[in-house]
Amino acid sequence: MELEILLIALLVAVITGIALNGFVDVIDRRAAHRINSAEEPARKLSDRAEERVGGWLERLVPGYVRRIRSDLYWATFADSRLQNRSAAAVFGRQVLLTAGVGLAGYLALGSTIALAGGLFIGWTLASTDLHAKAETIRLRIAQELPEFVQLMAAESASGAGLAEVLQRAAGGASTTAAWLRSVLNLGAGKSLFSENGPLTKPSGQAAGFLLAAAQESGHAGLISLAIQLGFVGRGVQVQSLLKSLAQTFADEFIAQAETRAEKLGSNLGVMAAIFYFMPFVITVLVVVGVPLINTIAGQG
């Protein structure tokens, strides 16, 4: 009985923390400000708990936290709530949410099978949400890059220099333009390109700011764009380079789209097995299997 009370209290605490963090999504800004002010101690407590849990577990799985950090970089373009979140806090939230779903399954059905199934489903939902948001933005940029670079080529045809072309392109409404705009704002007053070219970095000389930002993002298309633009300072014509690069990006996107289409069938099969077949099997085992085993054990 004491164990069940403890589990219920822990589940309520996890659900309360999650609800406080997500409640601002369904109210207007003024009400959100009032609620944030009133609930600030509870939110800070929840954030500290997530940060501590994630920070402790980061030492055990540093590779997974690096993946979260990469996904978090792009997921902020889709969800502004993630802008001030750390990778450790996101990891801690995933773990606590997984524990909450597992405990809910155990308390509802009273079976270790339900606990295991709840943990599995909870972790699947918690870990794939951030990655799905990041992948959506990555794919959107890959889709936008051919047209974006083609637009830059058209701007360069008017005789504008590379710096002016970048400024004009960054004024667009696309996600790629938003990324470039943020890079230009952060790199104000800094050298966007290495003086010796993007592939030559003597000792003590850093790469250009644009290439460094692209490498931080981890997006292959943006890294390629930054490298190619670095060659402009070495005498390469802007317009011809950008036209060639736009065609390359278009070909790569088409090839990747064909690959994703081929994998779509198997991915749908896996998701159907996780969210339809597995819950059905767990329910049957709990409702039918556990009483049957208890009956057989009692007769024995």
Side-chain angles (χ1 to χ4, degrees), residues 7 25 38 58 72-73 79 105 122 127 139 142 146 154 159 180 243 278 285:
L7 292 176
D25 291 338
E58 182 178 2
L72 192 60
Y73 180 95
D79 190 347
S127 61
L139 290 175
L180 180 58
K243 285 184 177 180
M278 287 297 296
L285 289 175

Side-chain angles (χ1 to χ4, degrees), residues 153-215:
E155 292 287 351
S156 67
S158 64
L162 180 58
E164 187 176 355
V165 168
L166 290 175
Q167 287 290 347
R168 292 178 181 178
S174 65
T175 304
T176 309
W179 176 83
L180 180 58
R181 189 162 54 247
S182 66
V183 171
L184 293 179
N185 290 336
L186 291 174
K190 301 178 182 178
S191 176
L192 287 179
F193 306 102
S194 172
E195 295 179 359
N196 295 323
L199 302 181
T200 306
K201 293 187 293 183
S203 177
Q205 179 182 345
F209 188 81
L210 182 63
L211 178 57
Q215 290 174 336

Side-chain angles (χ1 to χ4, degrees), residues 99-149:
V101 175
L103 290 174
Y106 177 77
L107 294 174
L109 301 175
S111 169
T112 55
I113 297 177
L115 174 62
L119 292 174
F120 176 76
I121 295 175
W123 177 254
T124 301
L125 294 173
S127 61
T128 56
D129 179 59
L130 180 69
H131 185 67
K133 291 178 180 178
E135 277 299 296
T136 299
I137 301 300
R138 291 189 184 104
L139 290 175
R140 185 182 303 169
I141 288 182
Q143 182 180 9
E144 294 174 351
L145 269 175
E147 182 178 355
F148 183 78
V149 176

Side-chain angles (χ1 to χ4, degrees), residues 234-257:
R234 303 171 67 184
V236 179
Q237 293 295 323
V238 179
Q239 186 178 7
S240 60
L241 183 145
L242 291 175
K243 285 184 177 180
S244 174
L245 192 58
Q247 185 60 49
T248 300
F249 284 146
D251 294 340
E252 290 179 354
F253 179 76
I254 292 174
Q256 293 173 1

Side-chain angles (χ1 to χ4, degrees), residues 272-283:
I274 292 175
F275 293 103
Y276 291 96
F277 181 70
M278 287 297 296
F280 173 76
V281 172
I282 292 173
T283 303

